[in-house]
């Protein structure tokens, strides 16, 4: 930059330095950087970290260490009101010809950085939001900064700009904010311009005397420059002091009464309803404005022209577009005298309420229009928009509130949109989370047969692991945490007692009685006494049903042998069937034949001839059926019932003998296998078989499981290690934790809880913001 250009640039920056908006923006930067903290602070002589510079003759260029917000160490040479880096100051000061590090030089350098960023026109025009976005890469404290350093929120920036701050004595001035503060500021600026620069003119370096142009090179911290000099900040501070002396301090606002507070909230609700309806209408009116109304306005008004000089003087560009529906609604609320939200909380609530008002109106309108839509696609879209109104309202509220919070923390339009969309998804996410938790605790929906088997097993006295009763994620994790193998082994031993008790009850043995082959043989012998009453029935002629049963017994073997005579050896089936197929039988001999055939069946099974063993057993059953039918013909119902009971008892005893282990336990799994093969079982025998077939992992016999110590290796080692490493003796008490939990799972109360029904959460359609939410905070509506 040549000397003439440098002079021109300094003149322009000096003129801009007197602009109201520039003064406000510069003080906001000081507050954001932490160098201005009130009337007693000395921002221009502030070093990084809060220390003070000995003088302002030059930039100190001293490095200070600090840690970034991402944890990385760093160093900086930042100093002064705007925390200039040494390299940045050398560049700007050299090109502007600044001879010191005084207040005026720092202000001009800050404006030069804004000019380079393209933000200076925005600052002069009062477009502070646009300026902040452009200056984020220069000042790390701004909310738009990309650096890993502490940032101020958007709300902080707005509060700083809404307060009377461009004066070193600002903390002593009336505590005002908002429009009143802006008017006070404008009045002080006007007084400053009138006194030091003529009507409407700003003092410039070119217009000042040579003495006035000399910067305060030896200014001490907190020392003010001569108000009549070329430093506009010092002159402005004097104007502010004059304004304070001539302006009475307003009374502090009185606390609102309860009725006033209620009235205010009602008024706010009315404003939110109007503005929310206006935002909804924007969806339909914005295209009309963008493509029809605004082009016509620009055609009639001509092109918009605003010079740099106009911007410096504080002029605002004339609008060349019509108002939006939401802006009109806000104006109507102002005309009605409805209160405006104050503070961050009311702004968040307001944005959320506006979104709810818009969503409610859209949902209602969509539901009404859906019935009148002629096009099927349009009708489907309107039905979707009007469905689940409560979910739509919740989505709109969380979306609007999230967008407003993001705006207050410095997020741009894109960030507000992302926050709004994520917030709108929150209600659906909550519902989805509830469903996921329910799925984890409830598990997959099991077939009714499985649920009934669980119910029957628990009611029969069996203990089941939670994951087998309800195979949910939580229950599977619980089983694993408590040592699944040990848990299953402990439950198996408990279930063995249940099986033995059910077996005793099935055959009429007293509780706790020994289960052995001898005890079962005694029961069979007792039941056989009923057969002795059949010996006096005399001769019996076999009926057609008897012969059909015999034919069916030998049919499979006979068909195979006739087709493949050399393939099937004679295993005795034909001989058994042929021996029983007589024309007449004596009842006494029939009783002996039944006993003989059952004994022979046992021998054949023991010898491995399963086919012949089954044939002998079925033949004995066929003779029993013939005796029962003959007995029924005598009309002696008591004898018939006694014979049936004896038959069933003998069948149960035979089945228990088959599944009895050498140590006197009933093998439930073996009985379950017989049920699977089609063995007709009833009552307690059926309960044992069903449990053994459905839950085999906890229905093993003690001979298979072996001994189960109550304390496992990890049960003792983990707590002992924890106690030794932490020095906490109480940790040793955890040795009993897992055994105690396993015992709790096997308790009757816990087992009964596995039968409790699960209350299902109604499925959610998820988040449906669509047109019904406001994902971007409508800050302009305020």
């Amino acid at each position: 930059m040549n000397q003439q250009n440098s002079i021109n640039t300094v003149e322009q920056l000096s003129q801009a330095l007197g602009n109201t908006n520039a003064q406000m923006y510069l003080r906001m930067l000081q507050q954001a950087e932490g160098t201005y903290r009130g009337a007693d602070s000395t921002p221009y002589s502030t070093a990084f970290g809060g220390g003070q510079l000995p003088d302002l003759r030059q930039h100190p260029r001293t490095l200070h260490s600090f840690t970034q917000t991402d944890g990385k160490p760093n160093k900086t040479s930042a100093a002064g009101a705007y925390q200039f880096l040494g390299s940045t100051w050398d560049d700007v000061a050299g090109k502007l010809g600044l001879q010191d590090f005084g207040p005026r030089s720092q202000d001009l350098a800050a404006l030069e950085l804004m000019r380079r960023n393209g933000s200076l026109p925005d600052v002069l025009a009062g477009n502070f939001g646009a300026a902040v976005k452009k200056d984020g890469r220069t000042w790390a404290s701004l909310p738009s900064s990309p650096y890993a350093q502490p940032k101020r929120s958007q709300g902080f920036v707005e509060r700083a700009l809404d307060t009377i701050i461009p004066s070193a004595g600002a903390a002593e001035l009336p505590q005002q904010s908002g429009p009143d503060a802006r008017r006070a500021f404008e009045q002080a600026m006007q007084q400053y311009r009138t006194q030091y620069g003529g009507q409407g003119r700003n003092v410039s370096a070119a217009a000042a005397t040579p003495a006035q142009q000399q910067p305060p090179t030896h200014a001490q911290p907190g020392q003010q420059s001569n108000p009549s000099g070329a430093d506009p900040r010092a002159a402005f501070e004097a104007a502010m002091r004059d304004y304070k002396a001539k302006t009475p301090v307003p009374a502090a606002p009185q606390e609102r009464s309860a009725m006033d507070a209620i009235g205010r909230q009602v008024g706010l609700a009315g404003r939110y309803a109007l503005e929310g309806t206006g935002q909804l209408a924007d969806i339909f009116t914005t295209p009309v404005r963008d493509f029809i109304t605004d082009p016509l306005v620009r055609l009639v008004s001509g092109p918009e022209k605003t010079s740099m000089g106009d911007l410096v003087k504080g002029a605002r560009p004339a609008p060349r577009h019509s108002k939006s529906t939401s802006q009109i609604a806000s104006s109507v609320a102002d005309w009605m005298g409805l209160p405006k939200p104050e503070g961050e909380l009311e702004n968040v609530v307001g944005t959320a309420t506006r979104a709810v008002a818009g969503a409610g109106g859209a949902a209602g309108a969509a539901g009404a229009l859906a019935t009148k839509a002629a096009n099927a696609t349009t009708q489907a879209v309107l039905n979707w928009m009007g469905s689940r109104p409560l979910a739509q309202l919740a989505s709109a509220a969380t979306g609007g509130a999230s967008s407003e919070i993001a705006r207050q923390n410095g997020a741009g339009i894109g960030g507000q949109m992302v926050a709004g969309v994520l917030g709108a998804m929150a209600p659906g996410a909550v519902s989805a989370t509830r469903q996921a938790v329910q799925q984890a605790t409830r598990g997959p929906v099991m077939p009714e047969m499985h649920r009934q088997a669980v119910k029957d097993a628990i009611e029969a006295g069996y203990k089941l692991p939670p994951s087998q009763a309800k195979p949910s994620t939580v229950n599977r994790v619980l089983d694993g945490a408590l040592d699944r193998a040990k848990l299953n082994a402990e439950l198996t031993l408990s279930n063995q007692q249940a099986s033995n008790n059910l077996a005793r009850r099935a055959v009429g043995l007293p509780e706790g009685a020994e289960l052995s082959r001898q005890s079962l043989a005694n029961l069979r012998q007792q039941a056989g006494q009923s057969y002795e009453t059949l010996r006096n029935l005399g001769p019996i002629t076999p009926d057609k049903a008897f012969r059909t049963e015999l034919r069916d017994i030998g049919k499979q073997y006979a068909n195979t042998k006739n087709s493949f005579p050399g393939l099937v050896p004679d295993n005795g089936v034909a001989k058994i069937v042929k021996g029983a197929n007589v024309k007449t039988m004596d009842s006494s001999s029939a009783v002996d034949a039944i006993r003989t055939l059952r004994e022979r069946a046992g021998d054949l099974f023991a010898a491995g001839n399963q086919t012949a063993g089954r044939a002998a057993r079925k033949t004995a059953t066929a003779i029993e059926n013939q005796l029962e039918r003959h007995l029924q013909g005598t009309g002696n119902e008591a004898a018939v019932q006694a014979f049936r009971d004896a038959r069933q008892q003998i069948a149960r005893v035979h089945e228990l003998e088959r599944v009895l282990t050498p140590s006197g336990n009933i093998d439930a799994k073996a009985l379950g296998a017989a049920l699977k093969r089609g063995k007709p079982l009833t009552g307690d025998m059926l309960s044992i078989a069903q449990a053994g077939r459905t839950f085999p992992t906890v229905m093993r016999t003690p001979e298979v499981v072996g001994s189960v110590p109550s304390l496992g290796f990890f049960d003792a080692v983990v707590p002992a290690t924890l106690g030794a490493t932490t020095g906490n003796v109480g940790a040793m008490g955890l040795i009993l934790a897992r055994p105690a939990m396993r015992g709790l799972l096997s308790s009757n109360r816990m087992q009964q809880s596995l039968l409790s029904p699960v209350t299902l959460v109604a499925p959610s359609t998820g988040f449906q913001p669509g047109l019904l939410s406001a994902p971007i905070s409508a800050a302009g509506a305020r």
Side-chain angles (χ1 to χ4, degrees):
M1 181 182 296
N2 58 42
Q3 185 177 5
Q4 184 61 43
N5 289 339
S6 174
I7 294 174
N8 292 337
T9 300
V10 171
E11 289 179 353
Q12 293 175 357
L13 295 177
S14 297
Q15 186 179 13
L17 186 58
N19 180 269
T20 301
N21 294 327
Q23 291 287 328
M24 293 178 67
Y25 195 80
L26 287 172
R27 183 51 58 88
M28 180 276 292
L29 288 177
Q30 294 177 15
Q31 286 190 312
E33 291 294 321
T35 59
Y36 179 84
R37 301 176 181 271
D40 296 332
S41 59
T42 54
Y44 295 95
S45 60
T46 300
F48 181 84
Q52 291 296 305
L53 304 178
D55 58 61
L56 298 178
R57 287 176 293 182
Q58 61 180 352
H59 190 287
R61 300 176 181 81
T62 302
L63 287 178
H64 301 271
S65 299
F66 71 100
T67 302
Q68 299 183 161
T69 55
D70 58 4
K72 296 181 179 179
N74 201 348
K75 292 185 178 181
T76 181
S77 57
Y82 311 102
Q83 295 291 283
F84 294 103
L85 297 178
S87 56
T88 302
W89 178 259
D90 291 342
D91 174 58
V92 175
K95 291 181 180 179
L96 294 181
L98 303 178
Q99 300 301 314
D100 62 22
F101 195 55
R104 180 174 180 275
S105 297
Q106 292 187 35
D107 288 346
L108 292 176
L111 293 177
E112 169 63 11
L113 292 179
M114 296 179 208
R115 187 188 67 81
R116 294 181 183 183
N117 295 338
S119 66
L120 185 56
D122 294 317
V123 170
L124 298 177
N127 299 326
F128 297 127
V132 168
K133 290 181 181 178
K134 296 176 182 178
D135 289 335
R137 290 190 172 275
T138 299
W139 284 282
S141 61
L142 294 179
S144 56
S145 167
Y147 306 117
Q149 297 184 34
K151 303 177 182 61
R152 302 292 188 180
S153 68
Q154 185 67 25
F156 178 94
V157 172
E158 292 180 359
R159 288 192 299 272
L161 292 170
D162 284 342
T163 306
I164 301 180
I165 56 175
S167 167
E172 303 173 0
L173 295 178
Q175 295 299 314
Q176 301 171 326
S177 62
D180 293 337
R182 183 55 181 257
R183 283 194 296 270
F185 180 79
E186 293 286 358
Q187 292 175 19
M189 282 300 299
Q190 183 62 35
Q191 184 176 351
Y192 154 68
R193 290 169 180 157
T194 301
Q195 184 174 354
Y196 297 104
Q199 293 290 338
R201 293 182 65 252
N202 295 318
V203 176
S204 66
T209 64
Q212 292 174 327
Q213 294 183 23
Q214 294 300 320
T217 56
H218 300 286
Q220 296 301 317
Q223 180 180 347
Q224 304 296 336
S225 301
N226 184 356
S228 62
D231 184 4
R233 179 174 297 280
F236 177 76
E237 291 171 350
M240 290 296 290
R241 287 193 293 273
D242 293 341
Y243 169 77
K244 175 191 173 184
K246 297 176 182 180
T247 304
V249 178
Q254 296 181 352
E255 185 177 355
R256 296 187 180 96
S257 65
M259 292 303 298
D260 290 341
I262 293 175
R264 171 178 171 76
Q265 295 307 315
V266 172
L268 285 174
R271 171 179 288 275
Y272 299 152
L274 281 173
E275 294 176 346
T277 304
Q279 290 175 12
L280 174 63
D282 280 345
I283 298 173
F284 307 100
T285 61
T286 296
V288 177
R289 292 173 52 243
D290 289 344
F291 296 103
I292 298 177
T293 308
D294 288 353
L296 290 176
V297 172
R298 286 191 292 270
L299 181 63
V300 174
S301 302
E304 178 181 347
K305 295 182 180 179
T306 303
S307 65
M308 181 70 175
D310 292 335
L311 292 176
V312 169
K313 295 176 182 179
R316 299 292 188 272
R320 291 294 186 265
H321 57 79
S322 57
K323 285 188 176 182
S324 66
T325 312
S326 59
Q327 290 173 331
I328 294 174
S330 182
S331 299
V332 171
D334 293 340
W335 174 77
M336 295 174 64
L338 298 178
K340 294 183 178 181
E342 299 175 357
E344 295 182 359
L345 179 59
E346 284 193 356
N347 283 323
V348 171
V349 174
T351 303
T353 308
R354 292 187 196 98
V356 169
L369 293 175
T371 59
K372 300 179 180 180
N375 182 275
T377 302
T378 303
Q379 188 175 23
V381 172
L382 291 174
N383 281 327
W384 173 80
M385 290 175 60
S387 66
R388 297 182 61 81
L390 293 180
Q392 295 281 14
L393 295 179
S395 177
T398 55
S402 300
S403 170
E404 173 63 15
I405 292 173
R407 186 191 69 81
Q408 291 185 5
N409 285 277
I413 295 297
Q416 294 177 41
M417 176 172 288
V418 171
V421 170
L422 293 178
M425 293 174 63
V430 171
S431 178
T433 301
R434 290 181 64 193
Q435 293 181 49
V437 171
Q438 180 194 72
Q439 183 65 23
T441 55
R442 177 173 58 88
V445 178
M446 302 302 293
E448 178 60 30
M449 183 181 297
H450 176 84
R451 294 199 295 270
Q452 187 61 42
V454 171
K455 182 175 182 294
D456 291 343
I458 292 178
E459 290 181 349
Y462 288 107
K463 312 292 185 182
L464 303 179
S467 62
Q468 291 193 27
K470 293 179 180 179
S472 64
T473 302
V474 172
N475 285 343
R476 288 196 294 269
V477 171
L478 181 61
D479 285 3
L482 298 181
D483 190 341
R484 182 177 290 105
K486 189 176 292 295
L487 176 63
N488 289 346
E490 292 180 0
L491 294 179
T492 293
L493 297 181
S494 175
N495 289 339
Q496 183 62 72
Q497 298 303 315
S499 295
N500 292 346
N501 290 335
L502 289 172
R504 293 187 183 97
R505 193 166 67 184
V507 295
L509 284 174
E511 185 177 353
E514 181 186 17
L515 275 175
S516 64
R517 295 196 178 277
Q518 183 58 51
S519 63
L520 294 177
N522 293 339
L523 290 174
R524 188 175 64 253
Q525 185 178 2
Q526 293 173 9
Q529 298 299 323
S530 298
Y531 280 71
E532 298 300 322
T533 60
L534 302 178
R535 292 185 182 274
N536 300 323
L537 293 178
I540 299 172
T541 301
D543 55 18
K544 184 179 180 179
F546 176 74
R547 300 191 185 281
T548 300
E549 286 186 75
L550 292 181
R551 184 173 64 250
D552 291 341
I553 294 171
K555 186 176 181 179
Q556 181 180 3
Y557 170 77
N559 289 340
T560 305
K561 185 175 181 181
N562 291 337
S563 301
F564 304 96
L567 183 63
V568 181
D570 186 1
N571 55 12
V573 174
K575 186 176 181 180
I576 293 171
V577 174
K578 183 178 180 180
N581 192 9
V582 297
K583 293 181 180 181
T584 182
M585 65 177 69
D586 181 72
S587 60
S588 180
S589 300
V591 172
D592 294 334
I594 291 171
R595 181 179 293 109
T596 301
L597 285 169
R598 292 201 179 278
E599 292 175 353
R600 186 174 180 186
D603 295 337
L604 290 170
F605 280 125
N609 191 344
Q610 304 295 322
T611 303
R614 285 193 294 270
R617 182 183 294 170
K618 289 180 180 181
T619 301
T621 301
I623 297 175
E624 288 177 333
N625 293 339
Q626 178 63 73
L627 289 174
E628 184 175 340
R629 288 192 296 271
H630 185 77
L631 186 60
Q632 282 180 309
T634 65
N636 190 348
E637 292 297 331
V640 172
Q641 188 60 47
F643 179 65
R644 288 176 178 172
D645 292 342
R647 288 187 64 188
Q648 293 175 0
Q649 174 73 338
I650 292 174
R652 287 192 292 266
V653 170
H654 274 298
E655 198 61 42
L656 290 180
E657 287 178 323
R658 189 181 66 81
V659 299
L660 186 68
T661 67
S663 58
N665 292 306
I666 299 300
D667 189 344
K669 291 177 61 177
L671 202 59
L675 179 65
K676 186 176 181 180
R677 293 195 300 268
K679 185 71 176 180
L681 300 173
T682 59
D684 293 327
M685 298 284 287
L686 180 61
S687 297
I688 300 173
Q690 287 178 333
R693 183 180 65 174
T694 310
F695 310 105
T697 58
V698 289
M699 294 296 172
R700 298 170 293 168
T701 60
E703 292 88 340
V704 175
V705 174
S707 61
V708 182
S710 58
L711 287 177
F713 177 76
F714 287 102
D715 293 336
V717 171
V718 173
T721 303
L722 181 62
T725 54
T726 62
N728 185 1
V729 180
M732 299 297 294
L734 296 176
I735 292 178
L736 302 177
R738 291 213 299 178
M741 284 298 296
R742 290 194 291 267
L744 178 63
L745 286 180
S746 64
S747 66
N748 291 332
R749 181 180 296 274
M750 184 63 70
Q751 289 294 311
Q752 289 296 323
S753 70
L754 299 177
L755 302 178
S756 60
V758 178
T759 302
L760 300 181
V761 175
S764 170
T765 57
F767 104 96
Q768 303 176 0
L771 299 176
L772 309 189
S773 70
I776 301 179
S777 173
R782 298 197 299 275

